[in-house]
Amino acid sequence: MIFSISQVRTNFDMVWIADCKGKCVCVAKAPFEKGAFNIYLEYPDQEDQHLYYNPDDLRFGDSLLEKHSFKLFMKGQLQGKIMTQNKRMKGFLQSYAYTFLTIGGTTYYLYEVGFGKKGLYLCIYEEEKLIAIVDKELTVRNFQDEYMVYSSSHQYSSVIVPLVLYYDMRSYADLMDVKLSSVKHDRVNTIQKELISKFDPEFIPRIKEMDN
């Protein structure tokens, strides 16, 4: 399955649209609210989700990691948490950050792998299995980031979309940036060998072939 995730509104009233060949996959809205940050994800063919962030809310744990995690709800019930941790590695500058989401005993991982001007990719794993690679558009106009998702199955969309939105908010939120016109170029150069190995160069061509 191939679909896009595009931010269509920014700043204090954010909206993202996930689209597959003109068919809506998800609409995500983050209205301005005081005291907390919420993203409401609406799917046309599955249960809606809700991402919630409030570091002052200690109901779910008071550790630094817990306080700064995004909580994922479905039908008002806590479904999972999205967090970012650092993995310590031997060797100079070999440690790296990664993001993970645990749902129903299964953990999904997101690894950012950048090749400078050649591309920036989010590699998403279900445990040890690569299930999607997200190609981030390097040129960003008017703070509206765009992502192209190459997924092995439609069933993973409700995992991929929350992870991408979390990544977008954590890395490219651009909150309170207001200009009539803006163009910027994102560049990430990954040097960690283990992190680079998370990117499979044959995955995207394989998904394109499956998707015709």
Side-chain angles (χ1 to χ4, degrees):
M1 179 185 185
I2 301 175
F3 65 96
S4 63
I5 300 175
S6 304
Q7 187 172 11
V8 297
R9 295 185 65 178
T10 61
N11 212 288
F12 294 110
D13 190 13
M14 292 175 282
V15 177
W16 299 262
I17 294 177
D19 177 90
C20 178
K21 300 176 182 177
K23 181 180 179 180
C24 178
V25 176
C26 177
V27 176
K29 301 176 182 179
F32 174 73
E33 299 178 51
K34 291 184 178 180
F37 179 75
N38 292 280
I39 304 178
Y40 302 95
L41 298 89
E42 302 171 358
Y43 299 88
D45 57 356
Q46 54 188 304
E47 294 291 341
D48 293 344
Q49 295 173 312
H50 169 207
L51 274 171
Y52 169 71
Y53 174 73
N54 184 354
D56 295 324
D57 187 346
L58 305 182
R59 291 176 297 165
F60 310 99
D62 59 0
S63 69
L64 186 62
L65 187 63
E66 285 283 357
K67 288 194 294 184
H68 289 281
S69 67
F70 275 53
K71 281 69 177 181
L72 181 64
F73 291 87
M74 182 181 291
K75 294 183 177 180
Q77 300 296 316
L78 182 64
Q79 184 183 27
K81 301 174 185 179
I82 305 180
M83 310 178 184
T84 295
Q85 283 188 318
N86 289 319
K87 183 171 183 179
R88 298 187 180 278
M89 303 289 294
K90 292 182 179 180
F92 182 64
L93 296 178
Q94 289 301 302
S95 298
Y96 61 86
Y98 66 96
T99 296
F100 66 96
L101 164 63
T102 300
I103 300 178
T106 302
T107 302
Y108 300 87
Y109 299 91
L110 181 151
Y111 303 96
E112 179 192 63
V113 183
F115 299 100
K117 295 181 180 180
K118 295 182 179 180
L120 174 56
Y121 303 96
L122 312 179
C123 304
I124 300 177
Y125 281 74
E126 180 184 42
E127 303 293 353
E128 301 297 325
K129 175 186 175 184
L130 180 62
I131 60 169
I133 292 182
V134 183
D135 184 355
K136 186 186 187 302
E137 175 61 48
L138 296 179
T139 300
V140 180
R141 293 177 172 82
N142 301 324
F143 311 109
Q144 296 179 346
D145 297 277
E146 298 183 7
Y147 304 83
M148 187 61 68
V149 180
Y150 300 87
S151 171
S152 60
S153 174
H154 172 73
Q155 72 182 53
Y156 294 119
S157 58
S158 60
V159 171
I160 295 169
V161 174
L163 279 170
V164 172
L165 295 185
Y166 170 88
Y167 171 85
D168 190 56
M169 289 306 305
R170 188 173 185 271
S171 302
Y172 300 102
D174 300 315
L175 293 174
M176 300 183 72
D177 285 335
V178 180
K179 294 180 182 178
L180 291 177
S181 180
S182 170
V183 178
K184 68 174 184 176
H185 304 281
D186 296 329
R187 299 287 187 272
V188 174
N189 287 285
T190 300
I191 62 173
Q192 296 85 354
K193 295 179 180 178
E194 180 174 309
L195 192 52
I196 292 173
S197 71
K198 302 296 183 182
F199 176 77
D200 179 0
E202 297 179 357
F203 185 86
I204 292 178
R206 186 164 62 247
I207 298 302
K208 286 182 176 180
E209 185 177 354
M210 290 171 54
D211 201 64
N212 297 316

